[in-house]
Amino acid sequence: MKMRVCILTTSFPRYKGDPSGNFVYELAKNLVKKGVEVNVVAPHDYETKSYEVMDGIEIHRFQYMFPKRLQRLAYHGGIPSNIRRSFIAKLELPLFMLSFFTMGFRICRKCDVIHAQWAFSGLVGTLLKKIYRKHVVLTVHGSDINNIPQKGLLKKLSVYTFKNVDQIIAVSNALKNRISDFGISTNKIKVIPNAVNIIDFPVGFKDTNDFKILFVGRLVPEKGLKYLIEAMKEVIKEIPRATLTIVGDGPLRKELEKLVEELSIQDKIRFEGMKTHSEIPKYMQGADLFVLPSLSEGLPLVLLEAMAVGKPVVTTKVGGILDVVIDGETGVIVPPRDSKALIIAITYLLENDEKRMKMSENARRCIEEKFTWKRISEKTFQLYKPLIANIRVYHERFL
């Protein structure tokens, strides 16, 4: 009998090449290749289709605000960021939850297992579990866990979700430890990282004499981009050929552009804005160095993508980054919020061609051996199997 999985997610590509929730799409696509029937329930966005089939995945998008152009909660920086900066987004949260549950109620009825992405989706999954008696798998990615306060309603709902799902997937060991801090048994938590489609991220080498530094990500406080910009002031003094390209958008863009002007380095830093997922590899291939100065992380997919292209990385000692980057072998790890440490690491690598080349080789090999979607989708598939077997036995005996 064909396995049927319903994925609940608060972010999913709205069109081909959209980077939003791309790793959820890649997982779904690779499960389809294994013969799994996959339905995805995701938020609608202005001018997206309510239903479509993409690479064999049936996608059902729920509209949570009328008219469509007023939808503010999902996408465009992510739900946590949107709630912080938009009063309208806060007001939309109950309607979002109701619409999410309603669509899930309609789509999940015939599935074997519900796979929720992010803790918010997990809460919807636990409600559907009580109705349909389905097993629920929850994947936590970092932003959903790192933003949980020490007390209050959000913490209570999160702990309720963790306790009532059947299996939790953490994308890093750091997240596994974080979840266990809420009183959840580590036996219930399995570490399965994100992955990269290495066909889309081939090794590439730049063709100019400039030293190109690259950042890719949302322009939000958690990414720590201001520390990199501050560091660039001194990096440029030591290495005048150094430049920084920033790919991505978000609520901090104007503030960061103002910081660049105050430091008088406008001619060395370019803001490229949001790019499609298919455009990202060419930016990475043209760089000498990838820098991710995050303040908190789960397991950043963009870091895996840069390493797949064969770029040494400078990044921070937070979250699941330590599961991927080996300090001194595939990149350099520095403390978060430390512009001086960034200066030292960046200038060291830019001035040592041999070290960069060796790290480049190590980075690509690391991704090929541990972080391909073929490997990760198989681990997820094997996790589903005993859950589905148990639920089918239950239905045969009692229903």
Side-chain angles (χ1 to χ4, degrees):
M1 187 181 296
K2 195 171 187 178
M3 185 185 293
R4 297 166 298 184
V5 175
C6 181
I7 296 178
L8 306 178
T9 178
T10 53
S11 184
F12 196 81
R14 296 157 289 179
Y15 49 84
K16 279 281 190 177
D18 182 15
S20 301
N22 186 262
F23 46 87
V24 183
Y25 158 73
E26 288 290 348
L27 174 62
K29 184 175 70 173
N30 279 272
L31 289 173
V32 169
K33 290 179 181 178
K34 292 181 176 296
V36 179
E37 180 182 311
V38 179
N39 282 264
V40 171
V41 176
H44 187 277
D45 196 25
Y46 186 55
E47 294 186 338
T48 57
K49 297 177 181 178
S50 296
Y51 171 81
E52 66 177 317
V53 178
M54 187 186 297
D55 292 317
I57 308 161
E58 291 193 52
I59 306 162
H60 312 263
R61 297 188 179 91
F62 59 89
Q63 184 178 344
Y64 56 92
M65 193 68 184
F66 300 87
K68 296 175 181 178
R69 60 184 174 80
L70 293 180
Q71 296 178 133
R72 296 284 190 275
L73 190 58
Y75 308 107
H76 312 291
I79 290 178
S81 177
N82 291 336
I83 288 176
R84 284 196 298 267
R85 64 191 176 93
S86 171
F87 181 70
I88 294 177
K90 292 184 179 73
L91 293 178
E92 290 179 352
L93 190 56
L95 290 173
F96 185 94
M97 183 72 173
L98 178 62
S99 301
F100 199 174
F101 172 80
T102 301
M103 182 65 80
F105 180 81
R106 183 165 69 85
I107 303 302
C108 291
R109 181 171 62 88
K110 294 183 179 181
C111 73
D112 296 305
V113 64
I114 298 170
H115 190 161
Q117 302 283 339
W118 289 282
F120 188 93
S121 304
L123 178 59
V124 176
T126 59
L127 299 177
L128 293 171
K129 173 183 177 178
K130 293 184 180 301
I131 297 171
Y132 288 131
R133 298 184 183 274
K134 308 288 185 182
H135 282 307
V136 179
V137 176
L138 168 64
T139 295
V140 293
H141 295 276
S143 59
D144 48 348
I145 301 301
N146 295 327
N147 290 316
I148 297 175
Q150 294 298 316
K151 56 183 179 180
L153 179 61
L154 182 57
K155 179 180 180 181
K156 290 179 181 179
L157 289 175
S158 299
V159 172
Y160 172 84
T161 300
F162 298 152
K163 288 183 176 180
N164 283 277
V165 297
D166 298 280
Q167 183 77 55
I168 299 173
I169 296 174
V171 297
S172 70
N173 283 290
L175 281 180
K176 178 178 181 177
N177 295 334
R178 175 83 169 110
I179 297 166
S180 68
D181 289 341
F182 291 101
I184 308 302
S185 170
T186 54
N187 294 328
K188 190 177 184 176
I189 311 166
K190 186 174 181 63
V191 176
I192 302 179
N194 287 324
V196 176
N197 186 348
I198 57 175
I199 296 175
D200 294 338
F201 288 85
V203 174
F205 301 95
K206 74 186 191 75
D207 57 1
T208 66
N209 292 322
D210 292 336
F211 281 123
K212 293 187 176 181
I213 302 163
L214 178 66
F215 167 90
V216 179
R218 292 179 295 120
L219 307 190
V220 293
E222 294 87 347
K223 296 301 178 181
L225 188 52
K226 75 169 186 175
Y227 299 99
L228 173 56
I229 291 174
E230 290 171 351
M232 285 301 299
K233 176 76 173 180
E234 296 303 317
V235 170
I236 292 166
K237 285 182 180 178
E238 295 190 36
I239 307 175
R241 288 189 293 150
T243 64
L244 169 64
T245 299
I246 298 170
V247 176
D249 212 338
L252 289 187
R253 178 163 180 169
K254 290 184 178 179
E255 180 180 321
L256 295 171
E257 288 175 334
K258 183 178 179 182
L259 176 60
V260 169
E261 291 180 5
E262 291 173 352
L263 295 173
S264 300
I265 51 177
Q266 304 96 309
D267 59 331
K268 292 290 187 176
I269 297 183
R270 295 194 347 255
F271 288 83
E272 291 288 306
M274 183 68 72
K275 300 297 177 182
T276 65
H277 193 253
S278 61
E279 292 177 291
I280 300 301
K282 67 181 180 181
Y283 282 95
M284 292 182 169
Q285 290 169 340
D288 292 279
L289 191 63
F290 184 83
V291 182
L292 186 67
S294 299
L295 309 184
S296 66
E297 284 289 357
L299 182 67
L301 182 61
V302 68
L303 197 64
L304 301 179
E305 292 169 344
M307 291 172 64
V309 175
K311 299 303 169 183
V313 298
V314 173
T315 188
T316 47
K317 189 177 181 180
V318 296
I321 288 174
L322 298 179
D323 289 358
V324 183
V325 181
I326 302 174
D327 191 26
E329 293 188 23
T330 58
V332 177
I333 298 176
V334 301
R337 296 182 174 87
D338 194 335
S339 296
K340 290 183 179 179
L342 286 170
I343 295 167
I344 294 169
I346 292 169
T347 53
Y348 167 73
L349 288 178
L350 291 183
E351 291 173 345
N352 287 272
D353 294 345
E354 185 176 340
K355 188 66 174 178
R356 285 203 318 277
M357 291 300 296
K358 185 62 177 176
M359 284 186 175
S360 173
E361 295 171 3
N362 293 341
R364 175 69 179 189
R365 188 181 307 114
C366 173
I367 300 302
E368 289 176 335
E369 293 176 355
K370 299 179 181 179
F371 298 98
T372 63
W373 275 115
K374 182 178 180 181
R375 176 186 292 270
I376 298 309
S377 63
E378 177 61 24
K379 287 185 177 181
T380 306
F381 181 76
Q382 293 300 326
L383 182 141
Y384 293 153
K385 289 171 73 173
L387 298 176
I388 291 173
N390 289 341
I391 202 69
R392 284 178 176 169
V393 168
Y394 174 88
H395 278 267
E396 289 172 2
R397 288 183 178 178
F398 302 106
L399 300 180

Coordinates of all heavy atoms in Angstrom, one line a residue, residues 26-96:
E26 N 12.1 20.4 -1.0 CA 13.1 19.4 -1.3 C 12.8 18.1 -0.7 O 12.9 17.0 -1.3 CB 14.5 19.9 -1.0 CG 15.1 21.0 -1.9 CD 15.4 20.5 -3.3 OE1 15.4 19.3 -3.6 OE2 15.6 21.4 -4.2
L27 N 12.5 18.1 0.6 CA 12.1 16.9 1.3 C 10.9 16.2 0.7 O 10.9 15.0 0.4 CB 11.8 17.2 2.8 CG 11.3 16.0 3.6 CD1 12.3 14.9 3.6 CD2 10.9 16.4 5.0
A28 N 9.9 17.0 0.4 CA 8.6 16.5 -0.2 C 8.9 15.9 -1.6 O 8.4 14.8 -1.9 CB 7.6 17.6 -0.3
K29 N 9.7 16.6 -2.4 CA 10.1 16.1 -3.7 C 10.8 14.8 -3.7 O 10.5 13.9 -4.5 CB 10.9 17.2 -4.4 CG 11.3 16.9 -5.9 CD 12.0 18.0 -6.6 CE 13.4 18.2 -6.0 NZ 14.2 19.2 -6.8
N30 N 11.7 14.7 -2.7 CA 12.5 13.4 -2.6 C 11.6 12.3 -2.1 O 11.9 11.1 -2.4 CB 13.7 13.6 -1.8 CG 14.9 14.3 -2.6 OD1 15.7 13.6 -3.2 ND2 14.9 15.6 -2.6
L31 N 10.7 12.6 -1.2 CA 9.7 11.6 -0.8 C 8.9 11.1 -1.9 O 8.6 9.9 -2.0 CB 8.9 12.1 0.4 CG 9.6 12.4 1.7 CD1 8.6 13.1 2.7 CD2 10.1 11.0 2.3
V32 N 8.4 12.0 -2.8 CA 7.7 11.6 -4.0 C 8.5 10.6 -4.8 O 7.9 9.6 -5.4 CB 7.2 12.8 -4.8 CG1 6.7 12.4 -6.1 CG2 6.2 13.6 -4.0
K33 N 9.8 10.9 -5.0 CA 10.6 10.0 -5.7 C 10.7 8.6 -5.2 O 10.9 7.6 -5.9 CB 12.0 10.6 -5.8 CG 12.2 11.8 -6.7 CD 13.6 12.3 -6.7 CE 13.7 13.6 -7.5 NZ 15.1 14.1 -7.5
K34 N 10.4 8.5 -3.8 CA 10.4 7.2 -3.2 C 9.0 6.5 -3.3 O 8.8 5.4 -2.7 CB 10.8 7.3 -1.7 CG 12.2 7.7 -1.5 CD 12.5 7.8 0.0 CE 14.0 8.1 0.2 NZ 14.9 7.0 -0.2
G35 N 8.1 7.1 -4.0 CA 6.8 6.5 -4.1 C 5.8 7.0 -3.1 O 4.7 6.4 -3.0
V36 N 6.1 8.0 -2.3 CA 5.2 8.5 -1.2 C 4.2 9.5 -1.8 O 4.6 10.3 -2.7 CB 6.0 9.1 -0.1 CG1 5.1 9.7 1.0 CG2 7.0 8.1 0.5
E37 N 3.0 9.4 -1.5 CA 2.0 10.4 -1.9 C 2.1 11.5 -0.9 O 1.8 11.3 0.3 CB 0.6 9.8 -1.9 CG -0.5 10.7 -2.3 CD -1.9 10.1 -2.2 OE1 -2.0 9.0 -2.8 OE2 -2.8 10.7 -1.6
V38 N 2.4 12.7 -1.3 CA 2.7 13.9 -0.5 C 1.7 15.0 -0.7 O 1.6 15.5 -1.9 CB 4.1 14.4 -0.6 CG1 4.3 15.6 0.3 CG2 5.1 13.3 -0.3
N39 N 1.0 15.4 0.3 CA 0.1 16.6 0.3 C 0.7 17.6 1.2 O 1.1 17.3 2.3 CB -1.3 16.3 0.7 CG -2.1 15.6 -0.4 OD1 -2.8 16.3 -1.2 ND2 -2.0 14.3 -0.6
V40 N 0.8 18.9 0.8 CA 1.3 20.0 1.6 C 0.2 21.0 1.9 O -0.5 21.4 1.0 CB 2.5 20.7 0.9 CG1 2.9 21.9 1.6 CG2 3.7 19.7 0.8
V41 N 0.1 21.4 3.2 CA -0.8 22.4 3.6 C 0.1 23.6 4.0 O 0.9 23.5 4.9 CB -1.7 22.0 4.7 CG1 -2.6 23.2 5.2 CG2 -2.6 20.8 4.3
A42 N -0.1 24.7 3.3 CA 0.8 25.9 3.5 C 0.0 27.2 3.4 O -1.1 27.2 2.8 CB 1.9 25.9 2.6
P43 N 0.5 28.3 4.0 CA -0.2 29.6 3.9 C -0.3 30.1 2.4 O 0.6 29.9 1.6 CB 0.6 30.5 4.8 CG 1.5 29.7 5.6 CD 1.7 28.4 4.8
H44 N -1.4 30.8 2.1 CA -1.5 31.5 0.9 C -0.7 32.8 1.0 O -0.5 33.3 2.0 CB -3.0 31.7 0.6 CG -3.3 32.3 -0.7 ND1 -3.2 33.7 -1.0 CD2 -3.8 31.7 -1.9 CE1 -3.6 33.9 -2.2 NE2 -3.9 32.7 -2.8
D45 N -0.3 33.3 -0.2 CA 0.2 34.6 -0.2 C -0.4 35.4 -1.4 O -1.0 34.7 -2.3 CB 1.8 34.6 -0.4 CG 2.4 35.9 0.0 OD1 1.8 36.7 0.7 OD2 3.5 36.2 -0.5
Y46 N -0.3 36.7 -1.4 CA -0.9 37.4 -2.5 C -0.5 37.0 -3.9 O 0.7 36.8 -4.1 CB -0.6 38.9 -2.3 CG -1.3 39.8 -3.3 CD1 -2.7 39.8 -3.3 CD2 -0.6 40.7 -4.1 CE1 -3.4 40.6 -4.2 CE2 -1.3 41.6 -5.0 CZ -2.7 41.5 -5.0 OH -3.3 42.3 -5.9
E47 N -1.4 36.6 -4.7 CA -1.2 36.2 -6.1 C -0.6 34.8 -6.2 O -0.1 34.4 -7.3 CB -0.3 37.2 -6.9 CG -1.0 38.5 -7.1 CD -0.2 39.5 -8.0 OE1 1.0 39.2 -8.1 OE2 -0.8 40.4 -8.5
T48 N -0.6 34.0 -5.1 CA -0.2 32.6 -5.3 C -1.5 31.7 -5.6 O -2.6 32.2 -5.3 CB 0.4 32.0 -4.0 OG1 -0.4 32.2 -2.9 CG2 1.7 32.7 -3.7
K49 N -1.3 30.5 -6.1 CA -2.4 29.6 -6.4 C -2.9 28.9 -5.1 O -2.1 28.6 -4.3 CB -2.0 28.6 -7.4 CG -1.5 29.2 -8.8 CD -1.1 28.1 -9.7 CE -0.6 28.7 -11.0 NZ -0.1 27.6 -12.0
S50 N -4.2 28.7 -5.0 CA -4.7 28.0 -3.9 C -4.5 26.5 -3.9 O -4.3 25.9 -2.9 CB -6.3 28.3 -3.8 OG -6.5 29.7 -3.6
Y51 N -4.4 26.0 -5.2 CA -4.0 24.6 -5.3 C -3.2 24.4 -6.6 O -3.5 25.0 -7.6 CB -5.3 23.7 -5.5 CG -5.0 22.3 -5.8 CD1 -4.6 21.4 -4.9 CD2 -5.1 21.9 -7.2 CE1 -4.3 20.1 -5.2 CE2 -4.8 20.6 -7.5 CZ -4.4 19.7 -6.5 OH -4.1 18.4 -6.8
E52 N -2.1 23.6 -6.5 CA -1.4 23.3 -7.6 C -0.6 22.0 -7.3 O -0.4 21.6 -6.2 CB -0.4 24.4 -8.0 CG 0.7 24.7 -7.0 CD 1.6 25.8 -7.6 OE1 2.0 25.7 -8.8 OE2 2.0 26.7 -6.8
V53 N -0.1 21.4 -8.4 CA 0.8 20.2 -8.2 C 2.2 20.6 -8.7 O 2.3 21.1 -9.9 CB 0.3 19.0 -9.0 CG1 1.3 17.8 -8.9 CG2 -1.1 18.6 -8.6
M54 N 3.2 20.5 -7.9 CA 4.6 20.9 -8.2 C 5.5 19.6 -8.0 O 5.6 19.2 -6.9 CB 5.0 22.0 -7.3 CG 6.4 22.6 -7.6 SD 6.9 23.9 -6.4 CE 5.6 25.1 -6.6
D55 N 6.0 19.1 -9.1 CA 6.9 18.0 -9.0 C 6.3 16.8 -8.3 O 6.9 16.1 -7.5 CB 8.2 18.3 -8.3 CG 9.1 19.3 -9.2 OD1 9.1 19.1 -10.4 OD2 9.6 20.2 -8.6
G56 N 5.0 16.6 -8.5 CA 4.3 15.5 -7.9 C 3.7 15.7 -6.6 O 3.0 14.9 -6.0
I57 N 4.0 16.9 -6.0 CA 3.5 17.3 -4.7 C 2.2 18.1 -4.8 O 2.1 19.1 -5.5 CB 4.5 18.2 -3.9 CG1 5.9 17.6 -4.0 CG2 4.1 18.5 -2.5 CD1 7.0 18.6 -3.7
E58 N 1.2 17.6 -4.1 CA -0.1 18.4 -4.1 C -0.1 19.4 -3.1 O 0.1 19.1 -1.9 CB -1.3 17.4 -3.9 CG -1.5 16.4 -5.0 CD -2.9 15.8 -4.9 OE1 -3.9 16.4 -4.7 OE2 -2.9 14.5 -4.9
I59 N -0.2 20.7 -3.5 CA -0.1 21.8 -2.6 C -1.4 22.5 -2.4 O -2.1 22.9 -3.3 CB 1.0 22.8 -3.1 CG1 2.3 22.1 -3.4 CG2 1.2 24.0 -2.1 CD1 3.2 22.9 -4.3
H60 N -1.8 22.6 -1.1 CA -3.1 23.2 -0.7 C -2.8 24.5 0.1 O -2.3 24.3 1.2 CB -4.0 22.3 0.0 CG -4.1 20.9 -0.6 ND1 -5.1 20.5 -1.4 CD2 -3.2 19.8 -0.5 CE1 -4.9 19.3 -1.8 NE2 -3.8 18.8 -1.3
R61 N -3.1 25.7 -0.4 CA -2.8 26.9 0.3 C -4.0 27.5 0.9 O -5.0 27.7 0.2 CB -2.0 27.9 -0.6 CG -0.7 27.4 -1.1 CD 0.0 28.5 -1.9 NE 1.3 28.0 -2.4 CZ 1.5 27.4 -3.5 NH1 0.5 27.3 -4.4 NH2 2.7 27.0 -3.9
F62 N -4.0 27.8 2.2 CA -5.1 28.4 2.8 C -5.0 29.9 2.9 O -4.0 30.5 3.3 CB -5.3 27.8 4.3 CG -4.1 28.0 5.2 CD1 -4.1 29.2 6.0 CD2 -3.1 27.1 5.3 CE1 -3.0 29.3 6.9 CE2 -2.1 27.3 6.1 CZ -2.0 28.4 6.9
Q63 N -6.1 30.6 2.6 CA -6.2 32.0 2.7 C -6.7 32.4 4.1 O -7.7 31.8 4.5 CB -7.1 32.6 1.6 CG -7.2 34.1 1.6 CD -8.1 34.7 0.5 OE1 -8.4 33.9 -0.4 NE2 -8.5 35.9 0.6
Y64 N -6.1 33.3 4.8 CA -6.5 33.6 6.2 C -6.9 35.0 6.4 O -7.3 35.4 7.5 CB -5.3 33.3 7.1 CG -4.0 34.0 6.8 CD1 -3.7 35.2 7.4 CD2 -3.1 33.4 5.9 CE1 -2.5 35.8 7.1 CE2 -1.9 34.1 5.6 CZ -1.6 35.3 6.2 OH -0.4 35.9 5.9
M65 N -6.9 35.8 5.3 CA -7.4 37.2 5.4 C -8.0 37.6 4.1 O -7.6 37.2 3.0 CB -6.2 38.1 5.7 CG -6.6 39.5 6.2 SD -7.4 39.5 7.8 CE -7.8 41.2 8.0
F66 N -9.0 38.4 4.2 CA -9.7 38.9 3.0 C -9.8 40.4 3.0 O -10.1 41.0 4.1 CB -11.2 38.4 3.0 CG -11.2 36.9 2.9 CD1 -11.2 36.1 4.1 CD2 -11.3 36.2 1.7 CE1 -11.2 34.7 4.1 CE2 -11.3 34.8 1.7 CZ -11.3 34.1 2.8
P67 N -9.4 41.1 1.9 CA -8.9 40.6 0.7 C -7.5 40.0 0.8 O -6.8 40.3 1.8 CB -8.9 41.8 -0.3 CG -8.7 43.0 0.6 CD -9.5 42.6 1.9
K68 N -7.0 39.3 -0.2 CA -5.7 38.6 -0.1 C -4.5 39.5 0.1 O -3.6 39.2 0.8 CB -5.5 37.8 -1.4 CG -6.5 36.7 -1.7 CD -6.2 36.1 -3.1 CE -7.3 35.0 -3.4 NZ -7.1 34.5 -4.7
R69 N -4.6 40.7 -0.4 CA -3.5 41.6 -0.3 C -3.2 42.1 1.2 O -2.1 42.6 1.5 CB -3.7 42.9 -1.1 CG -4.9 43.7 -0.8 CD -5.2 44.8 -1.8 NE -6.4 45.5 -1.5 CZ -6.6 46.4 -0.6 NH1 -5.6 46.7 0.2 NH2 -7.8 47.0 -0.4
L70 N -4.1 41.8 2.1 CA -4.0 42.2 3.5 C -3.3 41.1 4.3 O -3.0 41.3 5.5 CB -5.3 42.5 4.1 CG -6.0 43.8 3.6 CD1 -7.4 44.0 4.3 CD2 -5.2 45.0 3.7
Q71 N -2.9 40.0 3.7 CA -2.3 38.9 4.5 C -0.8 39.4 4.8 O 0.0 39.7 3.9 CB -2.2 37.6 3.6 CG -3.6 37.1 3.4 CD -3.7 35.8 2.5 OE1 -4.3 34.9 2.8 NE2 -2.9 35.9 1.4
R72 N -0.5 39.4 6.1 CA 0.7 40.0 6.6 C 1.6 39.0 7.4 O 2.7 39.3 7.7 CB 0.5 41.2 7.4 CG -0.1 42.4 6.7 CD 0.9 43.1 5.8 NE 0.3 44.4 5.3 CZ -0.4 44.5 4.2 NH1 -0.7 43.4 3.5 NH2 -0.9 45.6 3.8
L73 N 1.0 37.9 7.8 CA 1.6 37.0 8.8 C 2.8 36.1 8.3 O 3.8 36.0 8.9 CB 0.6 36.2 9.5 CG 1.1 35.5 10.8 CD1 1.6 36.4 11.8 CD2 -0.1 34.7 11.4
A74 N 2.5 35.5 7.2 CA 3.5 34.5 6.6 C 4.4 35.1 5.6 O 4.0 36.2 5.0 CB 2.7 33.3 6.0
Y75 N 5.5 34.5 5.3 CA 6.5 34.9 4.3 C 7.1 36.3 4.7 O 6.9 36.8 5.8 CB 5.9 34.9 2.9 CG 5.3 33.6 2.6 CD1 3.9 33.4 2.6 CD2 6.1 32.4 2.4 CE1 3.3 32.2 2.3 CE2 5.5 31.2 2.1 CZ 4.1 31.1 2.1 OH 3.5 29.9 1.8
H76 N 7.8 36.9 3.8 CA 8.3 38.3 3.9 C 9.0 38.6 5.2 O 8.8 39.5 6.0 CB 7.1 39.3 3.8 CG 6.2 39.1 2.6 ND1 6.6 39.3 1.3 CD2 4.9 38.6 2.6 CE1 5.6 39.0 0.5 NE2 4.6 38.5 1.2
G77 N 9.9 37.7 5.6 CA 10.7 37.8 6.8 C 10.4 36.7 7.8 O 11.2 36.6 8.8
G78 N 9.3 36.0 7.7 CA 9.0 35.0 8.6 C 8.0 35.4 9.7 O 7.9 36.6 10.0
I79 N 7.2 34.4 10.2 CA 6.2 34.8 11.2 C 6.7 35.5 12.4 O 6.1 36.5 12.9 CB 5.4 33.5 11.6 CG1 4.5 33.1 10.3 CG2 4.5 33.7 12.8 CD1 3.8 31.8 10.6
P80 N 7.8 35.0 13.1 CA 8.2 35.7 14.3 C 8.6 37.1 14.0 O 8.2 38.0 14.8 CB 9.5 34.9 14.7 CG 9.2 33.5 14.2 CD 8.5 33.8 12.9
S81 N 9.3 37.4 12.9 CA 9.7 38.8 12.6 C 8.5 39.6 12.3 O 8.4 40.8 12.7 CB 10.6 38.7 11.4 OG 11.0 40.1 11.0
N82 N 7.5 39.0 11.5 CA 6.3 39.8 11.1 C 5.5 40.2 12.3 O 4.9 41.3 12.4 CB 5.5 39.0 10.1 CG 6.2 38.8 8.8 OD1 7.0 39.7 8.4 ND2 5.8 37.8 8.1
I83 N 5.4 39.3 13.3 CA 4.6 39.6 14.5 C 5.3 40.7 15.3 O 4.6 41.6 15.8 CB 4.5 38.3 15.4 CG1 3.5 37.3 14.7 CG2 4.0 38.7 16.8 CD1 3.4 36.0 15.5
R84 N 6.6 40.7 15.3 CA 7.3 41.8 16.1 C 7.1 43.2 15.5 O 7.0 44.1 16.2 CB 8.8 41.5 16.2 CG 9.2 40.4 17.2 CD 10.6 40.4 17.5 NE 11.4 40.1 16.3 CZ 11.9 38.9 15.9 NH1 11.5 37.9 16.7 NH2 12.6 38.8 14.8
R85 N 7.0 43.2 14.2 CA 7.0 44.6 13.5 C 5.7 45.0 13.0 O 5.6 46.1 12.5 CB 8.1 44.6 12.4 CG 7.8 43.7 11.2 CD 9.0 43.6 10.3 NE 8.8 42.6 9.2 CZ 8.4 42.9 8.0 NH1 8.0 44.2 7.8 NH2 8.3 42.0 7.1
S86 N 4.7 44.1 13.0 CA 3.4 44.5 12.4 C 2.2 44.2 13.3 O 2.0 43.0 13.7 CB 3.2 43.7 11.1 OG 1.9 43.9 10.6
F87 N 1.5 45.2 13.7 CA 0.3 45.1 14.5 C -0.8 44.3 13.8 O -1.5 43.5 14.4 CB -0.3 46.4 14.9 CG -1.5 46.4 15.8 CD1 -1.4 45.9 17.1 CD2 -2.7 46.7 15.4 CE1 -2.5 45.8 18.0 CE2 -3.8 46.6 16.2 CZ -3.7 46.2 17.5
I88 N -0.9 44.5 12.5 CA -1.8 43.8 11.7 C -1.5 42.3 11.7 O -2.4 41.4 11.8 CB -1.8 44.3 10.2 CG1 -2.4 45.7 10.1 CG2 -2.7 43.4 9.3 CD1 -2.3 46.3 8.8
A89 N -0.3 41.9 11.6 CA 0.1 40.5 11.7 C -0.3 39.9 13.0 O -0.8 38.7 13.0 CB 1.6 40.4 11.5
K90 N -0.2 40.6 14.1 CA -0.6 40.1 15.4 C -2.1 39.8 15.4 O -2.6 38.8 15.9 CB -0.3 41.1 16.5 CG 1.1 41.3 16.8 CD 1.3 42.2 18.0 CE 2.7 42.4 18.4 NZ 3.4 43.3 17.4
L91 N -2.9 40.7 14.8 CA -4.4 40.6 14.7 C -4.8 39.4 13.8 O -5.8 38.8 14.1 CB -5.0 41.8 14.2 CG -4.9 43.1 15.0 CD1 -5.6 44.3 14.3 CD2 -5.6 42.9 16.4
E92 N -3.9 39.1 12.9 CA -4.3 38.0 11.9 C -4.0 36.6 12.5 O -4.4 35.6 11.9 CB -3.5 38.2 10.6 CG -4.0 39.4 9.8 CD -3.2 39.5 8.5 OE1 -2.2 38.9 8.4 OE2 -3.6 40.4 7.7
L93 N -3.3 36.5 13.6 CA -2.8 35.2 14.1 C -4.0 34.3 14.4 O -3.9 33.1 14.0 CB -2.0 35.4 15.4 CG -1.3 34.2 15.9 CD1 -0.4 33.5 14.9 CD2 -0.4 34.6 17.1
P94 N -5.1 34.7 15.1 CA -6.2 33.7 15.3 C -6.8 33.3 14.0 O -7.2 32.1 13.9 CB -7.2 34.6 16.1 CG -6.4 35.6 16.7 CD -5.3 36.0 15.8
L95 N -7.0 34.2 13.0 CA -7.6 33.7 11.7 C -6.6 32.8 11.0 O -7.1 31.8 10.3 CB -7.8 35.0 10.8 CG -9.0 35.9 11.3 CD1 -9.0 37.2 10.4 CD2 -10.3 35.2 11.2
F96 N -5.3 33.0 11.1 CA -4.3 32.2 10.5 C -4.5 30.8 11.1 O -4.5 29.7 10.4 CB -2.9 32.7 10.8 CG -1.8 32.0 10.1 CD1 -1.3 32.4 8.9 CD2 -1.2 30.9 10.7 CE1 -0.3 31.7 8.3 CE2 -0.2 30.2 10.1 CZ 0.3 30.6 8.9

